[in-house]
């Protein structure tokens, strides 16, 4: 190692950065592929959370297909009640259950394996998991029973059964307990000196995600508790404008958890698939810090055409809060592919500008999912998000299909696809099972990505013709006044259906292969995972 | 690597391409930030969020009074109302209709008050594709100038229960 | 588990020599260009609708 340039000026650490003695008291194994220590307790909870995540993805996915086929005008599958009901179910299963179960698993992984530590508390892990499962099951039961046809946002005065709000609160508290357990793990690792030096970048990103999660979940409590007491008839209704403001403190900040978790996984997958390393740690870490500092009032960009908040408030909160977080994403958008390029060039793929890109392991679904996620998130999700979230431009976008067009590029084509890529490593390394039908697994990220891209783009076009989101009938059958949309809008809605079908195909292949691998897959215990 | 521990003195300033890109990205963010205040002062389309607290019953009473004095006809049983140019106009949203139908003059400016009697609703003018939020308890004032004449649809684009997709009306704009 | 093995695998980072990533630079410049085009096209579309304050 080269001597640091400024050695004289800085305190000299006692140990070289790296692992010291673990604190697992025997409950640990060494990964046969990476040589990393895997805490057996944490491994169990990573598995439990991952299984629940995939169950939610399956429910959310089946429902998504039905929604897509309903918005396809010439199919128009579901009756209207079921469209709204399943739309509620889709939002919860995808955005809340699938993402957050997955993220708790990621936190447990980052806190233990990457820091050579045991899990903070087994009891807290059970408590967290129990609360989350109870909350999720309660919400599912209420939604599918038709007692909560209020959509994900449940904007008051629309009212659901009290158990629905209670389920959300239980789930959120459970997630908060999981996050606290993560912080406890880090504290214990530090206390027991299981490592020396600054934490690895992926852990740093996970910490950023966890900090944002705390802020988010507190907003969740702030808005859901009075809504619950109102639904019980104990208190007055929360003010609708106040509700929107605080709800989006939950709804938007949780997207920032997703982003921070996704970006951490980009770095992780970059390392696992091509051995990428960050070019400049300070830059990558600084960008995560920007996420923490500048996200909160970005909830403002959901209220840009609302009454109750003024222009000054809207502009200030959109610009200072959002654009420094945007800067952070733009920085990661450089550093992530640059680390891949650097790693591949060092392996000798040096031809021209893009020789490294062509030589990348596109047959490894961990890599293809990661890189497609990066591209979809940046080019589609990022660009549309910032544009639609511009104060005045929001007038021509609010509540049209341009909005789902944007966020399917971020949460589905971005975060979900990235987590799918992660699964292609989690299953062999944490469950120690091999994927069957590897050729199909290789194809899967492309199918899902193509479907989501098709759907997101066609939703965006339909939305720019004014087609509303969360709307069962473009024809306005039964309405007092006829409403006609441009024929191009109808055509685009057909493409939405096609894209949804394709994306569903990719999703279901992922779920089936993963379930198969986990329960019936060939064990690879005792030897390295088969390389993709 | 990103899952490994960084060297001790990892803090260093960005260099090379990274540095150039951070500079460009920051400059772009400054453009994004300045665009909004610029448009606020120079642009013609702004959502200022001007609004006042109002009880739903009071808002309905104001609307009835407005309809009473300015009614010029009827369309499918709904009053068609022509506000005075430069004056106030009222539009109330409820499950699942808008009341009344407005008749406006091109290039005249109106203070259009919108509110809801029950749930949250959406004000979505088509095919112009202009969208605003309607909340119960808030008199949302849109100071609006139709610049193109024609017959427009007004649809609700905030979910408001099972009749949501039938909630539509008209706004007529004459030369 | 042997902490020695882990310690070997987790050798700490080496400071990089010079790193050139021209391909990434081109990719992000394409991103910025598409961003600018989409962004300003939307302002243009906004300018065509009714006036409102
Ligand atoms: C197979 C993949 C998917 C398909 C086909 C799909 C399809 C759809 C459709 C058709 C809608 C309804 C749009 C509307 O009519 O307003 C929708 C809404 C939504 N989707 Fe997806 N989606 C998929 C994956 C995902 C994923 C992975 C997430 C999140 C992680 C997600 C999050 C959402 C959310 C939050 C909504 C809005 C719900 C609401 O308006 O309350 N979707 N999706
Ligand atoms: Cu409505
Ligand atoms: Cu509605």
């Amino acid at each position: 190692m080269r001597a640091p340039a400024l050695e004289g000026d800085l305190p000299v650490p006692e140990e070289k950065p790296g692992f010291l003695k673990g604190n697992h008291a025997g409950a640990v194994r060494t990964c046969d592929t990476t040589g990393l220590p895997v805490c057996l307790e944490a491994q169990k909870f990573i598995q439990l959370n991952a299984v629940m995540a995939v169950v939610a993805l399956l429910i959310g996915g089946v429902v998504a297909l039905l929604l897509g086929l309903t918005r396809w005008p010439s199919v128009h599958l579901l009756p209207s009640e079921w469209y709204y009901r399943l739309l509620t179910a889709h939002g919860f299963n995808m955005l809340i259950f699938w993402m957050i179960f997955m993220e708790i698993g990621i936190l447990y992984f980052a806190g233990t394996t990457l820091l050579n530590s045991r899990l903070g508390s087994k009891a807290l892990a059970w408590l967290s998991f129990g609360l989350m499962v109870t909350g999720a099951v309660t919400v599912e039961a209420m939604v599918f029973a038709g007692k909560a046809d209020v959509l994900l946002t449940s904007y008051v005065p629309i009212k659901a059964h009290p158990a629905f709000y209670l389920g959300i609160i239980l789930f959120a508290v459970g997630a908060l307990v999981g996050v606290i357990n993560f912080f406890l793990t880090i504290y214990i690792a530090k206390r027991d000196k299981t490592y020396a030096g600054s934490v690895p970048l992926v852990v740093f990103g996970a910490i950023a995600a966890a900090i944002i999660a705390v802020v988010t979940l507190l907003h969740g409590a702030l808005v859901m508790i009075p809504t619950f007491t109102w639904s019980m008839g104990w208190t007055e209704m929360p003010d609708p404008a106040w509700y929107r403001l605080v709800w989006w403190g939950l709804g938007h900040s949780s997207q920032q958890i997703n982003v921070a978790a996704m970006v951490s996984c980009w770095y992780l997958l970059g390392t696992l698939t091509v051995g990428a390393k960050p070019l400049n740690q300070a830059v990558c870490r600084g960008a995560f810090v920007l996420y923490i500092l500048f996200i909160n009032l970005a909830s403002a960009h959901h209220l840009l055409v609302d009454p109750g908040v003024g222009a000054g408030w809207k502009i200030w909160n959109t610009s200072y809060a959002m654009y420094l977080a945007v800067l952070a994403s733009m920085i990661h958008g450089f550093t992530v592919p640059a680390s891949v390029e650097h790693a591949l060039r060092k392996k000798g793929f040096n031809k021209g500008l893009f020789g490294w890109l062509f030589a990348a392991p596109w047959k490894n679904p961990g890599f293809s999912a990661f890189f497609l996620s990066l591209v979809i998130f940046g080019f589609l999700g990022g660009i549309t998000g910032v544009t639609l979230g511009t104060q005045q431009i929001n007038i021509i976008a609010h509540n049209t299909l341009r909005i789902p067009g944007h966020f399917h590029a971020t949460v589905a084509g971005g975060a979900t696809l990235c987590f799918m890529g992660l699964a292609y490593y989690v299953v062999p390394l944490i469950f120690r099972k091999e994927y069957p039908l590897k050729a199909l697994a290789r194809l899967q990220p492309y199918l899902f990505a193509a479907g989501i891209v098709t759907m997101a783009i066609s939703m965006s076009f339909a939305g720019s013709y004014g087609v509303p989101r969360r709307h069962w009938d473009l024809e306005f059958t039964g309405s007092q006044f006829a409403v006609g949309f441009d024929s191009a809008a109808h055509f685009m809605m057909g493409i939405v259906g096609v894209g949804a079908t394709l994306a569903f195909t990719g999703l279901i292949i992922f779920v089936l292969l993963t379930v198969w691998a986990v329960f019936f897959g060939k064990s690879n215990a005792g030897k390295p995972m088969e390389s993709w | 690597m990103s899952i490994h521990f960084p060297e001790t003195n990892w803090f260093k300033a960005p260099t090379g391409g990274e540095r150039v890109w951070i500079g460009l990205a920051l400059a772009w963010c400054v453009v994004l930030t300045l665009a909004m205040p610029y448009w606020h002062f120079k642009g013609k389309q702004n959502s200022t969020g001007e609004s006042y607290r109002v009880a739903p019953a009071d808002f309905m009473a104001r609307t009835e009074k407005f309809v009473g004095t300015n009614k010029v006809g009827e369309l499918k049983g709904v009053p068609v109302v022509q506000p005075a140019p430069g004056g106030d106009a009222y539009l109330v949203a409820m499950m699942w209709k808008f009341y009344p139908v407005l008749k406006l003059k091109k290039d005249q400016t109106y203070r259009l008050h919108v509110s809801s009697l029950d749930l949250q609703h959406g004000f979505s003018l088509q095919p112009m594709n202009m969208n605003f939020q309607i909340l119960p308890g808030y008199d949302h004032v849109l100071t609006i100038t139709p610049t193109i004449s024609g017959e427009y649809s007004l649809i609700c684009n905030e979910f408001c229960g099972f009749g949501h997709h039938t909630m539509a009306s008209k706004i007529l704009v004459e030369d | 588990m042997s902490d020695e093995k882990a310690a070997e695998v987790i050798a700490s980072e080496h400071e990089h020599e010079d790193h050139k990533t021209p391909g990434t630079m081109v990719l992000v410049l394409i991103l910025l260009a598409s961003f600018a085009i989409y962004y300003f096209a939307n302002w243009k579309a906004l300018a065509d609708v009714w006036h409102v304050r």
Side-chain angles (χ1 to χ4, degrees), chain A residues 82 85 140-149 161, chain B residues 162:
Chain A
W82 277 97
R85 194 161 293 151
E140 303 276 16
M142 287 299 115
V143 170
F144 282 98
K147 300 218 182 304
D149 298 318
H161 191 285
Chain B
F162 287 153

Side-chain angles (χ1 to χ4, degrees), chain C residues 1-2 10-12 15 17-18 20 23 28-29 32 41 49-51 53:
Chain C
M1 93 145 240
S2 86
I10 310 303
S12 74
E15 193 166 343
E17 331 63 66
D18 188 27
K20 290 244 172 347
V28 292
L29 288 176
L32 190 58
V49 304
W50 291 4
H51 300 172
R53 268 207 96 71

Side-chain angles (χ1 to χ4, degrees), chain A residues 201-332:
Chain A
L201 180 61
V202 171
V203 181
F204 192 87
I207 293 174
I211 293 173
I212 302 166
V214 172
V215 176
T216 304
L217 294 165
L218 290 179
H219 278 101
L222 186 61
V223 68
M224 275 303 142
I225 291 172
T227 310
F228 168 69
T229 54
W230 161 69
S231 72
M232 293 296 293
W234 299 338
T235 51
E236 294 280 286
M237 183 181 84
D239 179 78
W242 177 87
Y243 180 97
R244 289 170 65 82
L245 175 66
V246 186
W247 197 92
W248 281 111
L250 162 73
H252 186 79
S253 318
S254 69
Q255 300 325 306
Q256 215 60 27
I257 311 176
N258 296 340
V259 172
M262 172 186 71
V263 173
S264 301
C265 288
W266 285 347
Y267 285 115
L268 177 59
L269 284 169
T271 298
L272 291 175
T273 55
V274 297
K277 37 177 133 175
L279 302 186
N280 183 327
Q281 292 273 351
V283 170
C284 304
R285 287 167 198 243
F288 277 119
V289 172
L290 287 179
Y291 279 150
I292 304 174
L293 294 180
F294 293 106
I295 197 49
N296 195 25
L297 279 170
S299 72
H301 70 235
H302 294 265
L303 314 181
L304 295 178
V305 295
D306 270 28
V309 282
W313 185 90
K314 291 172 182 176
I315 291 176
W316 167 251
N317 284 307
T318 335
S319 54
Y320 99 90
M322 198 165 95
Y323 295 150
L324 287 170
V326 169
L327 177 66
S329 290
M330 289 177 78
I331 292 175
H332 290 304

